[in-house]
């Protein structure tokens, strides 16, 4: 009987521990650069906080095209701590409007988060 109760206690502990997950909460998920001049490297940092109960690791950040370069916090983000995902848009040779996405893949409660950058590139004079 003691073994049975011990096993039940261990199963409950594992079940409660598996529910503890990290949760990335971005201050904002979209940024509008408005008008930028062609040739500008437009850069914006999306800041976030881990509001969950376990560390979060960002395993990949995938832009929607090769014109956008992402950088991100690579070490585990502990509960209550902050990190960032920075998106740089290369406007060289790309006059006109743009609307790009950056997919943040992580081990948190929401495993994929979509960030958006947009704006309008004015041709060089």
């Amino acid at each position: 009987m003691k073994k049975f109760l011990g096993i039940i206690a261990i199963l409950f502990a594992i079940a409660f521990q598996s529910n503890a997950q990290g949760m990335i909460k971005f201050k904002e998920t979209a940024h509008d650069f408005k008008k930028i001049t062609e040739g500008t490297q437009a850069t914006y940092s999306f800041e976030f906080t881990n509001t969950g109960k376990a560390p979060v690791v960002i395993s990949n950040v995938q832009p929607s095209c090769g014109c956008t370069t992402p950088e991100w916090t690579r070490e585990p983000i502990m509960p209550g701590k902050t990190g960032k995902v920075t998106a740089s848009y290369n406007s060289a040779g790309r006059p006109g409007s743009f609307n790009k996405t950056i997919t943040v893949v992580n081990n948190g409660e929401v495993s994929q988060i979509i960030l958006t950058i947009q704006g309008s590139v004015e041709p060089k004079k």
Side-chain angles (χ1 to χ4, degrees):
M1 183 68 164
K2 282 186 178 183
K3 284 184 181 180
F4 178 72
L5 291 177
I7 291 172
I8 296 290
I10 290 171
L11 290 175
F12 272 115
I14 291 171
F16 283 115
Q17 188 175 15
S18 67
N19 286 337
Q21 273 192 302
M23 176 69 165
I24 292 179
K25 174 86 170 138
F26 279 90
K27 286 184 178 180
E28 55 190 357
T29 58
H31 179 73
D32 188 349
F33 287 107
K34 308 250 186 267
K35 292 183 180 180
I36 60 173
T37 304
E38 184 179 358
T40 301
Q41 187 78 18
T43 301
Y44 185 77
S45 290
F46 293 93
E47 296 180 6
F48 64 85
T49 302
N50 178 356
T51 60
K53 297 182 182 195
V56 172
V57 176
I58 296 176
S59 58
N60 192 24
V61 176
Q62 185 66 47
S64 59
C65 76
C67 58
T68 305
T69 306
E71 291 291 327
W72 65 93
T73 303
R74 305 236 179 208
E75 63 272 357
I77 300 94
M78 303 307 284
K81 300 299 179 185
T82 61
K84 64 183 177 179
V85 174
T86 302
S88 295
Y89 176 74
N90 183 358
S91 66
R94 295 182 175 91
S97 296
F98 67 92
N99 189 339
K100 305 297 177 186
T101 61
I102 302 102
T103 304
V104 180
V105 180
N106 67 89
N107 68 332
E109 191 174 314
V110 178
S111 63
Q112 290 191 6
I113 300 167
I114 307 293
L115 306 175
T116 305
I117 56 172
Q118 65 181 24
S120 178
V121 178
E122 299 290 314
K124 272 187 178 178
K125 295 183 180 182

